[in-house]
């Protein structure tokens, strides 16, 4: 996207009719997917000038909670409250059920499987399991019991990291995917909301409902290398941090929360890079495209303040932001 600094972020065409649960850019092209609480999953093509064109939509039988692209960008997976994992094929335009759990599927990711010609899908559920699926088979090829319900998940081969509802973090080595490699305790005191792996594959960022971020390393070789800090807070008020995303080029961390604001951080220098103006509506999900020059973010009520704070006037949409280098560049990249 090449927009001048005076221009506002661009609203996507034909946005979902209810709050977005997860955004995902294709790793191969500027195709943006969104799962939402209106039971649907949508795909748009994003042009270089920010113009978006709706390409596809398919449905779950309940709110769709997550979505993820295959590595080659030809397929999109999603999970929902209907306990089903679904696969959409971009070429045929058809969706099929490829996974099932005993409770809602909260997270889906594609993982690399050495020696397999077919992509492997991993699904994380509120039934306290993750399951691995070879998309050519109806039965899971592996299942692992978690300490608690799956709330967040990220993958960066060979690492798979799962955050559960009791503030546990479960780490898997995908070379041995059905055995838990390590179980850790979140450095944060309250419920996990989001989790993202470092590009260096030696740790992860984790966020909570209390407006804090934890920077955690798998191996603390130096004293106090892991740390946590306050992020989305205003005096005595704190806001859930709904989304964490690492920039694909500079590795800076983007956080977004119920306060309607986004902030980029240099985790290594432990400094704030940029605070974006608040959109005055909770931001529920964020993602960068493959080159990092487009940032997509969704706004909508996130239920953090309960039913009484929800109104029919809550804006529910997706915006596209043209990323400027000073907004994301870390000190190490200077």
């Amino acid at each position: 996207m090449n927009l001048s600094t005076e221009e506002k972020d661009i609203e996507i065409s034909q946005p979902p009719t209810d709050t977005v649960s997860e955004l995902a850019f294709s790793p191969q092209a500027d195709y943006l997917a969104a799962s939402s609480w209106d039971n649907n999953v949508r795909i748009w093509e994003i042009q270089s000038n920010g113009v978006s064109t709706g390409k596809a939509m398919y449905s779950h039988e309940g709110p769709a909670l997550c979505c993820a692209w295959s590595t080659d960008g030809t397929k999109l997976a999603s999970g929902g409250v209907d306990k089903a994992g679904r696969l959409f094929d971009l070429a045929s335009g058809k969706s099929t059920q490829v996974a099932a759990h005993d409770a809602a599927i909260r997270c889906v990711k594609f993982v690399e499987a050495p020696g397999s010609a077919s992509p492997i899908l991993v699904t994380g559920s509120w039934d306290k399991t993750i399951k691995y699926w070879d998309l050519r088979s109806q039965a899971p090829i592996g299942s692992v019991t978690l300490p608690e319900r799956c709330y967040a998940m990220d993958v960066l081969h060979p690492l798979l990291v799962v955050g559960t509802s009791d503030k546990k973090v479960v780490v898997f080595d995908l070379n041995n995917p059905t055995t838990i490699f390590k179980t850790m305790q979140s450095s944060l005191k309250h419920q996990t909301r989001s989790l993202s792996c470092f590009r260096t594959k030696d740790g992860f960022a984790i966020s909570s409902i209390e407006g804090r971020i934890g920077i955690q390393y798998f191996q603390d070789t130096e004293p106090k290398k892991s740390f946590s800090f306050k992020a989305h807070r205003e005096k005595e008020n704190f806001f859930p941090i709904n989304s964490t995303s690492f920039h694909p080029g500079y590795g800076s961390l983007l956080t977004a929360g119920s306060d309607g604001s986004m902030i980029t951080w240099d985790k290594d220098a432990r400094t704030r890079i940029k605070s974006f103006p608040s959109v005055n509506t909770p931001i529920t999900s964020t993602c960068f495209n493959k080159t990092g020059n487009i940032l997509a973010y969704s706004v909508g009520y996130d239920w953090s303040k309960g039913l009484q704070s929800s109104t029919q006037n809550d804006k529910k949409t997706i915006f596209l932001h043209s990323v400027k280098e000073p907004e994301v560049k870390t000190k190490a990249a200077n």
Side-chain angles (χ1 to χ4, degrees):
M1 280 170 66
N2 293 312
L3 304 173
S4 72
T5 53
E6 289 78 23
E7 289 191 78
K8 292 182 178 179
D9 294 347
I10 295 175
E11 185 174 356
I12 208 155
S13 65
Q14 299 173 295
T17 57
D18 206 342
T19 300
V20 168
S21 55
E22 186 166 25
L23 295 170
F25 261 115
S26 165
Q28 299 296 332
D30 285 337
Y31 279 74
L32 177 66
S35 54
S36 67
W37 283 80
D38 65 5
N39 299 8
N40 295 313
V41 183
R42 294 171 173 82
I43 300 171
W44 297 263
E45 183 177 7
I46 311 301
Q47 307 296 333
S48 59
N49 61 359
V51 172
S52 54
T53 306
K55 300 296 288 185
M57 183 177 81
Y58 66 96
S59 300
H60 280 258
E61 294 176 7
L65 301 180
C66 51
C67 60
W69 289 92
S70 61
T71 307
D72 63 5
T74 64
K75 297 175 178 62
L76 181 75
S78 57
V81 172
D82 58 359
K83 310 175 189 177
R86 299 183 186 276
L87 186 75
F88 180 82
D89 184 274
L90 217 56
S92 68
K94 294 181 179 179
S95 71
T96 53
Q97 182 172 344
V98 293
H101 278 264
D102 294 331
I105 296 178
R106 179 63 184 86
C107 302
V108 293
K109 296 290 180 185
F110 281 93
V111 298
E112 295 177 34
S116 174
S118 175
I120 301 299
L121 181 68
V122 58
T123 52
S125 171
W126 290 344
D127 68 6
K128 304 181 186 179
T129 68
I130 63 165
K131 294 181 181 181
Y132 298 92
W133 307 84
D134 182 322
L135 300 177
R136 298 166 297 186
S137 172
Q138 291 188 330
I141 57 173
S143 181
V144 183
T145 300
L146 300 170
E148 250 293 347
R149 289 158 291 168
C150 173
Y151 273 9
M153 184 165 71
D154 196 20
V155 62
L156 198 59
H157 192 81
L159 289 169
L160 171 67
V161 185
V162 181
T164 69
S165 63
D166 59 352
K167 299 179 292 178
K168 289 282 195 304
V169 177
V170 185
V171 185
F172 293 87
D173 177 348
L174 290 170
N175 294 309
N176 190 12
T178 55
T179 301
I180 293 175
F181 175 70
K182 188 173 187 177
T183 301
M184 307 170 67
Q185 188 74 22
S186 168
S187 60
L188 307 178
K189 296 178 181 178
H190 294 275
Q191 179 183 306
T192 298
R193 289 289 285 169
S194 179
L195 183 153
S196 295
C197 295
F198 301 161
R199 293 186 314 144
T200 48
K201 303 183 182 181
D202 55 352
F204 56 92
I206 190 168
S207 74
S208 74
I209 60 171
E210 46 145 356
R212 291 181 73 91
I213 294 287
I215 301 297
Q216 289 189 241
Y217 289 84
F218 299 126
Q219 303 291 339
D220 256 351
T221 53
E222 302 170 24
K224 298 184 179 178
K225 192 176 182 183
S226 296
F227 65 98
S228 62
F229 59 95
K230 298 175 183 177
H232 293 255
R233 292 192 169 207
E234 186 179 309
K235 296 181 180 177
E236 297 303 312
N237 296 320
F238 54 87
F239 302 90
I241 300 173
N242 296 321
S243 180
T244 52
S245 303
F246 281 103
H247 188 268
Y250 293 114
S252 47
L253 173 64
L254 176 82
T255 61
S258 295
D259 55 352
S261 70
M262 295 186 292
I263 306 169
T264 49
W265 310 86
D266 184 332
K267 72 173 177 61
D268 298 319
R270 301 191 182 192
T271 56
R272 182 187 303 235
I273 300 172
K274 165 79 174 178
S275 293
F276 294 83
S278 174
V279 296
N280 299 314
T281 304
I283 296 174
T284 58
S285 185
T286 61
C287 68
F288 292 101
N289 69 336
K290 63 183 176 117
T291 59
N293 70 323
I294 304 174
L295 166 64
Y297 62 95
S298 56
V299 301
Y301 188 56
D302 61 0
W303 301 98
S304 59
K305 293 183 179 178
L307 177 64
Q308 67 276 11
S309 296
S310 176
T311 72
Q312 292 295 320
N313 298 324
D314 292 331
K315 191 171 181 65
K316 307 173 186 72
T317 192
I318 300 166
F319 288 103
L320 302 171
H321 174 76
S322 178
V323 178
K324 318 294 188 300
E325 189 178 80
E327 298 172 338
V328 293
K329 192 172 183 180
T330 57
K331 286 187 176 181
N334 291 326

